[in-house]
Amino acid sequence: MHASSSPSLSSLSLSLFLSPSGDKVYTGGDRRVYVSDALTGEKLHLMTRDTGRIPTLLKVDDTIFCCSNQGAVRVFTIMHNVKRISLDLTMWEHSRRITEILFEKASVGNCELHGIEDHVCRMYTVSEDRMVVVWDTNKNCPVKSIKPRLLKDNILNSITMNDRHFFCGTSGGTIQVYSKQNVCEREDIHNCLVAVKEEVDLTDEIGKVRNPALDDGIDRRWCLQLTLRIPNTKDFADNTPTVNVVLCCGPNKSIDMLHCADSTGRHTIWKVPDTGLDFVPIKTHTPHTRSINVMKATDTHLITASDDGTIVFMDLIQLTQIRRIDVLKWALDKELITDNSTDIPREIKCMHLHEDAESGGTISIGTSYGDVMLMDIGTTV
């Protein structure tokens, strides 16, 4: 097993990813983004500075999306010579920390919106300002803002989606399910079924219930369909658990299960229905003793990482835990940590999964101490 550790690439590693070639690692967290050699840990270039921390760092094709605590999304293009990387674009629509960024799947053939082959038309960002922004990736501009109701003082922590629904995990221990298509499957009377007349006639009703089967010109996309709630088990401080991560996935890259990780270390799974809104809970277990911060999926496995310093591999077919790795103990066994920090606990704050069909791939782990650790996952767990 190949192993590598780069101490203090950032004083607080909150976001990272590995380059496609596997020789460079990009890390962010403390107002800076560094590019470092993945094997030696040597800092190659300070890619950018920001006025706030950088909790979200994402690579899509040859583009880097760098999101700050101030709500800005800055876009860079990856260069072979990392010292030539420069700012291409800044998108600013949020007012607070961006918690996650998500992209629509690439179109099959030419997309309907732009006519570009194999094009990703939409980007989604979610922030602590309780707003989801939908971006046009061709024009790099926002096209819609979704402000979920019923949030009160809660914030949006994570988003995921399938072909029919858009899922938002909140700090109130709930998952809000929205319709992505122009179809509403709710049977009760709510906003998208009621059309309010522009001119009020005192002799008539102000609102009239309409048949959703009729083409009445009402756009039912982003209509709240359902609110799922995780088991209301208080944490050690008697606080209501928060939803940290939501992920829609399944074995062999299907999207038939909705996974939710919360601040108590619990993992809850729902079966996603092919039609209707009957989300059936199929498993709840507690693989970690502290908050789960990251979930990643391969063809057949789900990987979770937590503040307890461990990563857990779960079989997506059997839904059973098959391996646990204590990252600090693993790093000491590999003699990656040789200084006086061997007794300092490592909370895992971020993780990136780089898959390879032949070798299995590489897991990049960022800790609260600023370490970046790389491990080959091989072809078998």
Side-chain angles (χ1 to χ4, degrees), residues 11-56:
S11 64
L12 182 63
S13 286
L14 293 177
S15 51
L16 60 81
F17 68 86
L18 196 65
S19 65
S21 58
D23 60 341
K24 299 180 182 67
V25 60
Y26 296 74
T27 58
D30 59 348
R31 303 185 182 184
R32 297 169 293 178
V33 176
Y34 279 113
V35 187
S36 304
D37 189 290
L39 297 178
T40 65
E42 178 189 358
K43 296 176 184 177
L44 302 177
H45 181 53
L46 174 61
M47 195 181 84
T48 185
R49 290 182 182 269
D50 210 312
T51 55
R53 285 186 174 178
I54 303 170
T56 306

Side-chain angles (χ1 to χ4, degrees), residues 145-337:
S145 297
I146 301 100
K147 298 180 180 179
R149 300 181 179 182
L150 307 177
L151 276 183
K152 296 183 179 179
D153 296 329
N154 300 322
I155 62 174
L156 300 173
N157 286 330
S158 180
I159 52 177
T160 188
M161 62 182 171
N162 59 16
D163 293 336
R164 295 170 52 226
H165 295 124
F166 192 87
F167 305 92
C168 298
T170 77
S171 61
T174 61
I175 303 173
Q176 295 185 335
V177 184
Y178 293 88
S179 175
K180 276 182 59 183
Q181 302 173 348
N182 192 14
V183 176
C184 179
E185 297 179 289
R186 288 176 58 173
E187 297 180 354
D188 61 325
I189 297 175
H190 58 286
N191 289 346
C192 86
L193 290 181
V194 178
V196 180
K197 301 173 70 173
E198 294 181 359
E199 296 181 4
V200 178
D201 186 352
L202 297 178
T203 62
D204 237 339
E205 291 182 340
I206 295 178
K208 291 185 178 180
V209 179
R210 296 190 175 188
N211 186 349
L214 300 177
D215 184 12
D216 50 19
I218 299 176
D219 188 358
R220 294 185 172 84
R221 287 173 294 183
W222 305 106
C223 176
L224 179 62
Q225 301 291 284
L226 179 70
T227 298
L228 303 172
R229 182 173 292 277
I230 62 177
N232 191 19
T233 303
K234 302 289 185 178
D235 62 13
F236 64 92
D238 199 34
N239 296 321
T240 300
T242 65
V243 175
N244 287 345
V245 192
V246 288
L247 181 64
C248 201
C249 67
N252 302 315
K253 296 297 185 182
S254 66
I255 49 176
D256 59 351
M257 288 184 288
L258 174 63
H259 297 261
C260 167
D262 64 36
S263 58
T264 64
R266 185 175 47 221
H267 176 203
T268 305
I269 309 171
W270 286 268
K271 178 70 176 179
V272 177
D274 294 330
T275 59
L277 299 173
D278 188 16
F279 285 78
V280 179
I282 57 178
K283 186 179 179 68
T284 297
H285 67 128
T286 308
H288 297 276
T289 59
R290 295 183 61 189
S291 175
I292 300 175
N293 298 319
V294 197
M295 284 196 300
K296 299 293 182 181
T298 65
D299 286 349
T300 56
H301 296 98
L302 184 79
I303 308 170
T304 56
S306 166
D307 276 347
D308 63 9
T310 66
I311 58 176
V312 171
F313 293 80
M314 178 182 184
D315 189 295
L316 284 175
I317 299 175
Q318 302 296 328
L319 297 182
T320 56
Q321 179 179 316
I322 57 178
R323 188 177 180 185
R324 175 188 299 274
I325 299 176
D326 186 314
V327 171
L328 179 57
K329 182 179 179 181
W330 172 85
L332 293 174
D333 290 341
K334 301 294 181 181
E335 297 183 352
L336 300 178
I337 300 176

